[in-house]
Structures are given as C-alpha cells and as structure tokens.
Amino acid sequence: MNIHALRLFYYVAETGSVTKAAARLNISQPAVTSQIKKFEKDLGLPLFNPSGRGVSLTPFGIELAKQAGNFFTYEEQIDEFVEDYRHGRKGKLRIAATYLPANFLVPGWAARFKAGYPEIEMEITTTNSQQAFEQLKRHEADVAFYGGGAQDRPEDIDWLELFEDELWFVVSPSHPYAGRTVSLQEMMLEPFIMREEGSSTRARLVSLCVTYGLKPPQVTLQFSGLGEAIRSVMAGYGANFISSLAVREYVEQKRLSRVQVEGIQLSNHIAICTRSHESVPPALQQFIDICRSFPPEL
C-alpha cells in the first residue's frame, strides 16, 4: 500500500476538506486530488461519494479512515519511542556485576539513576568475574561492573576504572591474629572462608601464594556470596581476604579485626566494562556518568 497516499486520504477525511488537507501537508490542492484518485484506482474501491461541496466518505472510506487513524497514531508512538531512546529517556539496561560492586555500589547508583530516568528498565545480575565478562561478551549484558585485579582485564573489553580500594585480611576480634602483624606464611596456615572459584579475589590470593612460593591456604568454607563469608568470619571461624569496601564498617564497629601481613599491600580495582568497538547507548552513558560522579567514601 502507498503510505503517502494513505496519509493524504486520512488528512482529507480528518479535515473534511481537500483544501485544508493540502494546506496542512504544504502541497497543492490539485496534487492532493490527483494522488487520491490514483490511490482509489490502486485500491479498486471508491473512497468518496460524489458531492457538490466538501467531502463525503463511502462506507469503505469511513472504515479505512479509522484504520489509518490507528496506524498513524501508532506511527507517532514509534517516533516518540525512537526519540526517547535516542535521548536516553527509555530503554533497558542489563547490568552484570561482581559481588563487591553489586552489593556495595550499584544499588546506590541505580537509585540515583532511576530518580532521574524512571522509565528506563534495569536488570541487575550478581555473579563472579568470569561469568560477568562472559555475559558481556555474549551480549547478555550491556555493561559489567568489576571489582578485582587490573591484570584480569579480558581482551576486547573497554575498561573505565572508577577507583581503587585495599584488599584486607580479616578475622574475628577473638582470633589470635586480630590486630597483629604476621608473615604471609603464617597467615596461609589459617583456614579460609572464600567465594567460589571464578571469584577474582580468590584468584588473587592463589596468585599471591604462587608469587611467594607458598601453598595456597585451605578453603574450608566456600560461599557464593560475600555476606555469608563475612558473617562466618564474624562468628569466629577462619580468615578472609576481601575488599576493604566490604568490611571497613565491620572493622570500625569491632565486629571484625584486620590482620596486617608483612610486605603485602594489594589494591582492588573497581571498573566499568563495556564491549570494545561499540558505541555506548545514551541511557547507559547517563548511568556511567552517575557512577563516575558519585564515588563511594573510602
């Protein structure tokens, strides 16, 4: 169907006048009349009854005008959607986040973002580093928030570092090492409570042991989340190697104690990761801008 001709017909039917329709569309009256006659011929059905003055629609013309009205209303809605998406007012953000940013950073950033862009849908998946990057590469996520070592950065990923925090060894306040300084070898003799394999922090602890020629500690309790591991250490069992961002409050409250390890001072990198060689959608860029504008208090 000729959509241009349908539009001409619709405006004539809506205004009740060829002259008014021509003025509204900024084309000549004879051009409107000519194209509508051709449109009737193409359809094989009359649209207008013979009339001395004004326009009179045939039954078919009345029904077609209704259908055309629905069609052009939907067309306007599509145009509005495209404009809203282009300017970052509508859309959907799929976020994959490792446990540290997912628990301590993304919720606050998401709340700020939703306050300004309430019609943007947000889907946040909490996972380990390996899976976060896999989701990003498979286009199952639009962005990945990562907390870990910068050396773990995969290829074909753009890496925007937001800030760094420290990695701490922590134990319960009743532990013999609480508040003390010990050697790495001594620390590695303790049972550890850690996240599952695929966790960047666990991988860094193993890498640290390899660097110093030590056997990695025995992971006697393994959890898939940060909170469970932290609470188990609080309960008085084992040690943890973890971002200071996750436990600083507990250390200040004396619910956990930090252990200083001789010669060891490691940083944790918090980064926003997107696919290389792809433009960042407007809504995602607005979210990234909020993340950069409101760093956590370390």
Side-chain angles (χ1 to χ4, degrees):
M1 178 176 287
N2 187 328
I3 301 301
H4 176 65
L6 179 65
R7 193 183 306 275
L8 293 179
F9 159 71
Y10 174 69
Y11 282 142
V12 171
E14 185 184 42
T15 61
S17 165
V18 172
T19 303
K20 290 179 181 178
R24 184 171 177 179
L25 294 165
N26 199 28
I27 58 177
S28 69
Q29 181 177 333
V32 173
T33 301
S34 173
Q35 291 188 57
I36 286 182
K37 286 182 178 179
K38 184 177 184 304
F39 187 45
E40 282 184 307
K41 185 177 179 181
D42 292 341
L43 292 174
L45 292 165
L47 296 170
F48 298 98
N49 294 312
S51 177
R53 300 182 62 183
V55 296
S56 173
L57 297 175
T58 64
F60 169 68
I62 292 172
E63 291 303 317
L64 182 61
K66 290 179 182 178
Q67 295 295 327
N70 294 335
F71 175 80
F72 291 122
T73 297
Y74 189 59
E75 182 185 48
E76 289 176 3
Q77 292 172 351
I78 293 174
D79 287 340
E80 289 176 5
F81 168 77
V82 171
E83 282 301 300
D84 285 339
Y85 194 90
R86 180 182 291 124
H87 293 93
R89 294 187 293 264
K90 285 187 178 179
K92 182 176 182 178
L93 293 182
R94 298 168 303 162
I95 300 167
T98 60
Y99 287 86
L100 179 67
N103 281 273
F104 297 94
L105 300 171
V106 173
W109 288 332
R112 288 182 181 274
F113 178 77
K114 288 293 288 184
Y117 304 95
E119 295 193 61
I120 300 290
E121 294 181 57
M122 301 187 79
E123 180 181 284
I124 302 168
T125 302
T126 303
T127 186
N128 61 40
S129 306
Q130 181 180 347
Q131 288 300 315
F133 289 134
E134 285 299 317
Q135 287 182 32
L136 187 61
K137 290 180 178 180
R138 292 195 301 260
H139 290 78
E140 295 171 0
D142 304 306
V143 63
F145 284 81
Y146 170 79
Q151 71 276 5
D152 298 329
R153 173 181 175 177
E155 296 180 0
D156 300 323
I157 295 294
D158 285 339
W159 180 282
L160 174 63
E161 185 165 318
L162 297 177
F163 60 91
E164 293 182 37
D165 74 329
E166 296 177 316
L167 287 169
W168 288 356
F169 290 96
V170 293
V171 294
S172 75
S174 61
H175 193 282
Y177 288 170
R180 290 182 51 197
T181 298
V182 300
S183 68
L184 181 62
Q185 184 176 11
E186 289 175 303
M187 194 73 222
M188 292 305 99
L189 295 176
E190 292 298 306
F192 269 71
I193 300 172
M194 296 293 292
R195 291 258 319 286
E196 77 283 2
E197 292 185 13
S199 157
S200 65
T201 307
R202 179 167 176 168
R204 293 187 73 188
L205 181 60
V206 172
S207 177
L208 181 65
C209 292
V210 171
T211 299
Y212 285 87
L214 299 174
K215 182 180 178 181
Q218 184 180 6
V219 178
T220 55
L221 279 177
Q222 176 178 297
F223 292 100
S224 60
L226 280 176
E228 301 93 320
I230 291 171
R231 284 190 290 274
S232 293
V233 176
M234 284 183 187
Y237 178 76
N240 201 339
F241 183 58
I242 193 167
S243 166
S244 63
L245 187 63
V247 294
R248 186 182 301 274
E249 181 180 353
Y250 299 123
V251 171
E252 291 173 351
Q253 295 171 352
K254 302 188 184 306
R255 299 172 67 188
L256 284 173
S257 292
R258 185 181 177 188
V259 181
Q260 300 284 351
V261 176
E262 296 171 353
I264 303 300
Q265 189 170 3
L266 296 176
S267 295
N268 209 33
H269 298 259
I270 308 298
I272 297 175
C273 306
T274 54
R275 289 180 291 274
S276 299
H277 315 300
E278 288 187 18
S279 60
V280 176
L284 177 55
Q285 185 59 59
Q286 289 160 178
F287 183 53
I288 290 173
D289 291 342
I290 284 177
C291 299
R292 298 180 69 180
S293 299
F294 297 95
E297 296 181 4
L298 300 178

